[in-house]
Amino acid sequence: MEAPIKAPTPGAGGCGTAWWQSGTVYQIYPRSFQDTDGDGVGDLRGITARLDYLAWLGVDAVWISPFYRSPMADFGYDVADYCAVDPLFGTLADFDALISEAHRRKLKVILDFVPNHSSIAHPWFTESRASRMSAKRDWYIWRDPGPDGGPPNNWLSNFGGPAWTRDEATGQYYYHAFLPEQPDLNWRNPEVRAAMHDALRFWLARGVDGFRVDVIWHLIKDEGFRDNPQNPDFQPHQAGINRFHQVYSCDRPEVLDIIAGMRAVLRAYGERVLIGEIYLPIERLVTYYGPGLTGADLPFNFQLIQTPWRAEAVAALVAEYEAALPEGGWPNWVLGNHDQPRIAARVGEAQARIAAMLLLTLRGTPTLYYGDEIGLGHVPVPPERAQDPWGRNEPGHGRDPERTPMQWEDAPNAGFTAGTPWLPLTGDANRRNVDELRDDSRSILTLYRRLLSLRRDHSALSVGAWRGLALPPDLAAEVFAYERIADGETLRIVLNFSNQEWSVPLDEGGPWQILLSTHSGRAGDRVERQLRLEPDEGVILGPPGR
């Protein structure tokens, strides 16, 4: 049995943990949550209309993907105005109403912030490309052609092809880590930093509780624009960006100063949270907490998405991550988002229930992705209905299947829209929807709600310490077991990653009572020395009598 991991550092003033440490975040992709005007695309009023559902579900914060004014080349991740709502999603008044109604229900609101790149249609870029002498020329990254007249270096776009586009009028190339319609801003320029800080303040003044910062590890590039080294392990089936190791185009040490500056802006408004999107190995990920925890409050941990779905692999990952965290750094876990295949598509419907229990019982802040709570899996998208620009540039890498509309009821388009949904729904939408599942005691939606309720009722689950449990080798290959500990209470979580039955010894701490099982009918059962685990079953054990 491993020693307990240190419990969380108290929040400011020693008055307990911050809301973002004990709470659960729920991500909404606004195009796909609820449409109120019949155009087939979700909107801000739709989110407001569904806040009662989120309060019923039991989440604590809502993270909303971009709704800023945009030409929608990358569905809002190409921002043309950082301080405006795109008419597709509504108005600033709609946003103010949303945040007011969310706060009335004690729900926090986190916005997506996209500071690495703007839209090509942003007035800043229009001015920047007007002339080499433009006052905003240095707001973006411009370089002369390489010796052969081509791009300045070998950097590639994350969405396929070169990361440099030539501007014929001025004879230079501009850099874009993603689409050509998304030119990267130059964060080495203090004027860019000041403008972006003002954009943060605009939303903070309207009551926003924090930001998730898009591709935060990209914000600073190598000052010498050196070529990235080749990746000898690149395979033809991989996305083109993997041809090179991105050591010079992102994850530069100077980025920590940029993040500290953002964090300082947020701290001036009280207890706000700064979350950073970071796809890096654990040893690099944890550096984004910053020296003395001056970096991101939560450097997003995507390791569960990238790790093989096997008990021993997941157990090793959790132990490695916990050991790598800096003193006082608060962990977090993510199973899916708008860029990754859904968890049910990756591990199957039965194991999606294990995944739910894992996510909501590990130490740290969990982030749920809309629709996972009703078991949405892979939704086939016919080629003629494909929307994602990455998928069009590099077939097979599109993100449409994880962005399909939320399914609310047994009605046309599952209650998402009165029009034609921008992406298709599941074939079983008449059964896989909130209304059909909310009163079914055996449904995955009920499981999520019960898990969230347990997190609120037991501080051991929300903020307690974590301790991994040793199992015999044959069991450890298929079963992951650990404890959560706080306020004199110990809860034990045992997860069966296999489709066969196991008997798990409970040598210490008993007797136990099953507080919750991923299977119906076992809650309340008393367990003594052996726990019988059914195939694909997870249980939470607690002291008898609760």
Side-chain angles (χ1 to χ4, degrees):
M1 180 177 293
E2 300 178 13
I5 298 295
K6 185 178 178 182
T9 301
C15 299
T17 52
W19 64 263
W20 48 266
Q21 290 178 308
S22 60
T24 301
V25 179
Y26 183 98
Q27 182 192 356
I28 290 174
Y29 194 66
R31 294 181 68 90
S32 297
F33 201 59
Q34 180 67 67
D35 173 29
T36 62
D37 59 12
D39 64 357
V41 175
D43 44 51
L44 295 181
R45 289 187 179 185
I47 297 173
T48 304
R50 297 296 185 179
L51 290 175
D52 283 341
Y53 163 74
L54 298 176
W56 170 86
L57 183 61
V59 298
D60 301 281
V62 178
W63 154 32
I64 307 173
S65 294
F67 53 78
Y68 309 110
R69 190 180 298 277
S70 167
M72 300 296 163
D74 189 24
F75 299 116
Y77 284 92
D78 50 318
V79 180
D81 188 338
Y82 286 94
C83 299
V85 174
D86 194 274
L88 182 70
F89 299 115
T91 65
L92 269 176
D94 292 332
F95 174 78
D96 291 339
L98 189 163
I99 202 164
S100 175
E101 289 300 309
H103 286 167
R104 188 167 69 83
R105 292 165 176 82
K106 303 189 184 307
L107 291 168
K108 303 291 187 181
V109 177
I110 300 168
L111 298 192
D112 227 311
F113 188 54
V114 191
N116 178 69
H117 46 263
S118 76
S119 167
I120 201 169
H122 198 294
W124 297 342
F125 188 74
T126 301
E127 183 175 348
S128 181
R129 77 185 309 179
S131 149
R132 291 195 183 198
M133 304 303 295
S134 165
K136 284 190 168 55
R137 187 67 170 184
D138 192 46
W139 280 46
Y140 292 85
I141 298 172
W142 294 93
R143 302 289 291 173
D144 288 330
D148 62 354
N153 61 24
N154 70 352
W155 295 359
L156 296 177
S157 164
N158 285 263
F159 285 168
W164 297 93
T165 291
R166 181 180 174 89
D167 179 65
E168 296 300 330
T170 60
Q172 286 188 314
Y173 284 82
Y174 67 87
Y175 176 70
H176 49 88
F178 296 90
L179 296 174
E181 293 87 353
Q182 295 170 290
D184 278 39
L185 285 149
N186 176 18
W187 273 83
R188 294 185 183 274
N189 185 331
E191 293 180 347
V192 169
R193 299 190 196 189
M196 283 301 191
H197 289 176
D198 284 345
L200 291 172
R201 294 185 185 101
F202 176 87
W203 296 105
L204 289 164
R206 303 188 95 88
V208 167
D209 299 291
F211 295 89
R212 173 269 192 189
V213 183
D214 187 59
V215 296
I216 201 170
W217 83 107
H218 275 265
L219 292 180
I220 289 287
K221 289 74 175 171
D222 178 54
E223 200 164 20
F225 293 92
R226 288 171 283 184
D227 281 350
N228 281 323
Q230 287 192 346
N231 175 10
D233 298 322
F234 174 72
Q235 299 295 320
H237 69 273
Q238 294 178 310
I241 189 67
N242 294 298
R243 286 175 52 201
F244 300 97
H245 291 301
Q246 311 301 305
V247 298
Y248 295 122
S249 52
C250 57
D251 191 28
R252 306 301 301 161
E254 303 98 314
V255 75
L256 296 177
D257 292 334
I258 302 296
I259 298 170
M262 290 185 187
R263 181 179 169 127
V265 171
L266 268 65
R267 287 300 185 266
Y269 289 79
E271 193 176 75
R272 302 291 189 268
V273 65
L274 183 67
I275 304 170
E277 182 195 28
I278 304 164
Y279 283 95
L280 290 173
I282 287 176
E283 66 272 15
R284 292 300 308 147
L285 171 70
V286 296
T287 66
Y288 281 76
Y289 286 97
L293 300 183
T294 57
D297 295 305
L298 299 175
F300 252 156
N301 170 16
F302 299 118
Q303 304 300 316
L304 283 177
I305 296 174
Q306 300 165 332
T307 298
W309 196 253
R310 300 192 307 271
E312 55 189 350
V314 173
L317 160 67
V318 176
E320 179 188 1
Y321 177 59
E322 285 280 5
L325 288 167
E327 182 72 21
W330 186 243
N332 70 96
W333 297 95
V334 181
L335 277 176
N337 59 32
H338 59 290
D339 289 330
Q340 302 294 332
R342 286 191 175 273
I343 183 62
R346 301 200 307 272
V347 304
E349 197 161 340
Q351 281 291 307
R353 301 173 74 93
I354 295 294
M357 186 169 281
L358 175 73
L359 177 69
L360 293 172
T361 59
L362 286 173
R363 187 172 83 96
T365 303
T367 297
L368 310 182
Y369 185 48
Y370 85 95
D372 281 354
E373 76 271 25
I374 61 172
L376 286 182
H378 179 79
V379 184
V381 178
E384 66 274 13
R385 295 199 62 182
Q387 302 280 345
D388 185 21
W390 183 20
R392 292 197 297 269
N393 286 347
E394 293 190 285
H397 296 285
R399 300 162 294 176
D400 290 332
E402 49 265 29
R403 299 177 175 186
T404 59
M406 184 63 172
Q407 298 174 178
W408 296 104
E409 59 193 56
D410 182 7
N413 300 319
F416 166 69
T417 180
T420 301
W422 77 291
L423 284 172
L425 291 86
T426 66
D428 62 352
N430 63 320
R431 301 185 307 278
R432 191 177 298 281
N433 61 70
V434 170
D435 275 4
E436 291 292 317
L437 299 178
R438 69 187 303 163
D439 296 325
D440 180 352
S441 63
R442 301 165 299 175
S443 74
I444 191 170
L445 177 58
T446 297
L447 174 63
Y448 266 97
R449 188 167 185 247
R450 288 174 177 167
L451 284 164
L452 288 163
S453 178
L454 276 179
R455 281 183 62 87
R456 288 178 182 271
D457 292 343
H458 296 265
S459 59
L461 287 180
S462 58
V463 297
W466 177 90
R467 176 168 58 196
L469 298 177
L471 296 173
D474 60 333
L475 266 178
E478 306 290 354
V479 176
F480 181 26
Y482 51 93
E483 291 180 340
R484 301 295 310 282
I485 308 153
D487 301 329
E489 180 184 56
T490 297
L491 301 184
R492 184 171 290 189
I493 296 90
V494 189
L495 305 172
N496 186 354
F497 279 68
S498 78
N499 60 359
Q500 67 182 87
E501 184 176 302
W502 289 97
S503 181
V504 181
L506 302 174
D507 298 329
E508 302 176 17
W512 300 92
Q513 178 177 313
I514 296 179
L515 301 182
L516 183 62
S517 167
T518 57
H519 292 24
S520 62
R522 298 195 69 185
D525 288 359
R526 189 180 177 93
V527 182
E528 295 289 342
R529 305 187 67 81
Q530 293 282 332
L531 169 66
R532 178 182 57 84
L533 268 186
E534 296 179 10
D536 304 304
E537 183 184 24
V539 299
I540 301 174
L541 301 172
R546 287 200 60 171

